[in-house]
Amino acid sequence: MRRFKLSTRVQHLNESATLRMAQMARELSNRQIDVINLSLGEPDFDTPTYIKEKAKEAIDSGNTKYTPVAGTLALRQAISDKFKRDNQLNYSTDEIIVSNGAKQSFANLCNAMLDNPLDEVVLLAPYWVSYYEIIRLAGGSPIVVHSNVANNYKPRLEDLKAALSANTRMLVFSSPCNPTGTLFNQQDCMEIANLLKEYPDVLVVSDEIYEYIVFDQKHFSIGSIEGMNERTATINGFSKGFSMTGWRLGYMGAPKEITQACIRIQGQYTSGASSFTQAAGAFALTSDLSITRKMCEAFKSRRNTLIRELSRITEWTINIPDGAFYLLPDVSKTFGKKHNGNMIHNAEDLAIYLLNEAHVALVSGDAFGAPNCIRISYSLSEEKVIEAVKRIEAALQKLS
Ligand code: PMP
Ligand code: GLU
């Protein structure tokens, strides 16, 4: 029996599918079951020592107080320089806000831009789970542009065009993409930018948190196209490239009025991000990226291993990710099969079946706007990846 009345807002809010699956995997592990957890988008590497040392040094020198809401000037300067160096983007320090993770950067932005269901946000699908829910929580309406594995999960321009309207406030995508690993290269970005010329009031939100995890192509920032910097919010963070998920540090560069609105919101909700985390972050951005590159090499090798192993599972259609550490097979040919009389109706059923039968945790594509798919996060060692596919293969063979 419910005692307290919860807000309508939260009653309509779905739990994060990635975090829920990770929790289910943890619960099995706690029962001493050997689960291979390929559900969570979290690198298994430790944070590089040089970054940890910098945080310790900051604590020891008394850098333990509140920071400016937007982030320390030292970190914002390092971010501004990094945007120029790596991305050919121009964001001055007052166009940058540091937050408790890129997730908060996106939440601030949605709260600053959206009020009511007529405020539409075009999402290129498959999309990262939290975009959809955060947009709705802020009061706006997500408008989804679908794509499929046959075109490597790049939505067709005519579909994107059909989704844009006078109500569109933002267009959101991540590159490399979570959950597909697809990279939107220079040509893709040029095509999107061209289309948007007819919609000058639409803000582009480019989530580049996987920027440093790119395998064969070159990362490209849509904001670097002429005329786009001033209409692009570029989101990034330390979680993936520097394996700093638990540090909670992300940032955004955006037109000044938007950044300043986000600062007002963050000032009421959480204040500035942690002081010593920011000191370490500034150091990470200005240091040599050789450890980051090594981690990227490891992900590339794991990707190749995963693709090789998955080629035995012929009923799944796999994509070839360009970056990040996700692969999103189309698993719809498995739907309709049964095990002990229990039917696999959809990707959610399949994820639960594989968790219970194979002890491999994956995430159903539903929450990513890809109901025919299942997400595999290959952020574990190659041995574990190989073992996981063996187990999946054996579990699928039990279906008829
Ligand atoms: N954007 C994307 C595309 C992500 O996959 C994630 C999750 N790691 C985030 C943003 C949020 O990252 P964090 O809050 O850890 O910086
Ligand atoms: N973004 C990662 C993922 O997609 C981490 C979990 C989360 O923040 O949702 O799995």
Side-chain angles (χ1 to χ4, degrees), residues 41 100-104 128 131 174 178 207 209-210 235-240 245 248-250 326:
N100 295 313
K103 202 176 252 185
Q104 190 184 16
W128 178 47
Y131 297 151
S174 60
N178 178 1
D207 182 342
I209 196 162
Y210 297 97
I235 292 180
N236 208 323
F238 295 80
S239 286
K240 314 296 168 162
T245 45
R248 312 309 303 127
L249 197 61
Y326 308 107

Side-chain angles (χ1 to χ4, degrees), residues 66-194:
Y66 283 136
T67 60
V69 175
T72 63
L73 185 58
L75 177 54
R76 283 181 290 127
Q77 188 60 58
I79 292 168
S80 176
D81 294 345
K82 175 254 176 276
F83 272 140
K84 276 197 194 75
R85 178 193 73 198
D86 295 346
N87 313 105
Q88 291 75 55
L89 293 172
N90 290 308
Y91 292 112
S92 58
T93 49
D94 56 5
E95 293 175 315
I96 290 167
I97 169 171
V98 174
S99 300
N100 295 313
K103 202 176 252 185
Q104 190 184 16
S105 306
F106 187 73
N108 283 338
L109 181 61
C110 288
N111 281 309
M113 295 288 291
L114 312 173
D115 277 317
N116 64 69
L118 284 179
D119 290 337
E120 295 182 353
V121 181
V122 172
L123 275 182
L124 302 193
Y127 48 77
W128 178 47
V129 276
S130 292
Y131 297 151
Y132 195 93
E133 296 299 327
I134 292 174
I135 290 164
R136 289 196 325 142
L137 194 56
S141 300
I143 306 290
V144 176
V145 182
H146 289 282
S147 66
N148 55 49
V149 67
N151 50 5
N152 200 20
Y153 298 115
K154 286 188 185 173
R156 297 182 318 167
L157 279 181
E158 56 262 47
D159 294 337
L160 171 54
K161 195 168 178 185
L164 293 164
S165 76
N167 290 336
T168 312
R169 306 292 317 283
M170 308 198 284
L171 164 70
V172 180
F173 67 103
S174 60
S175 177
C177 172
N178 178 1
T180 62
T182 296
L183 182 93
F184 289 80
N185 60 27
Q186 181 166 4
Q187 195 194 328
D188 301 322
C189 291
M190 299 284 268
E191 287 171 357
I192 294 172
N194 259 338

Side-chain angles (χ1 to χ4, degrees), residues 358-372:
H359 297 152
V360 175
L362 308 176
V363 188
S364 154
D366 285 277
F368 301 97
N372 286 339

Side-chain angles (χ1 to χ4, degrees), residues 45 82 86-87 152 154 174-178 180-186 188 207-221 236 240-242 289 291-304 320-326 378:
F45 304 108
K82 175 254 176 276
D86 295 346
N87 313 105
N152 200 20
K154 286 188 185 173
S174 60
S175 177
C177 172
N178 178 1
T180 62
T182 296
L183 182 93
F184 289 80
N185 60 27
Q186 181 166 4
D188 301 322
D207 182 342
E208 306 185 5
I209 196 162
Y210 297 97
E211 164 190 18
Y212 291 139
I213 310 172
V214 174
F215 309 136
D216 306 310
Q217 302 188 49
K218 221 171 134 7
H219 172 81
F220 185 81
S221 296
N236 208 323
K240 314 296 168 162
F242 298 100
L289 294 176
I291 297 187
T292 293
R293 288 200 193 94
K294 270 202 195 120
M295 293 196 269
C296 176
E297 279 307 306
F299 285 126
K300 182 175 174 178
S301 175
R302 292 169 185 187
R303 175 202 64 170
N304 293 344
I320 310 289
D322 309 301
F325 35 74
Y326 308 107
Y378 50 92

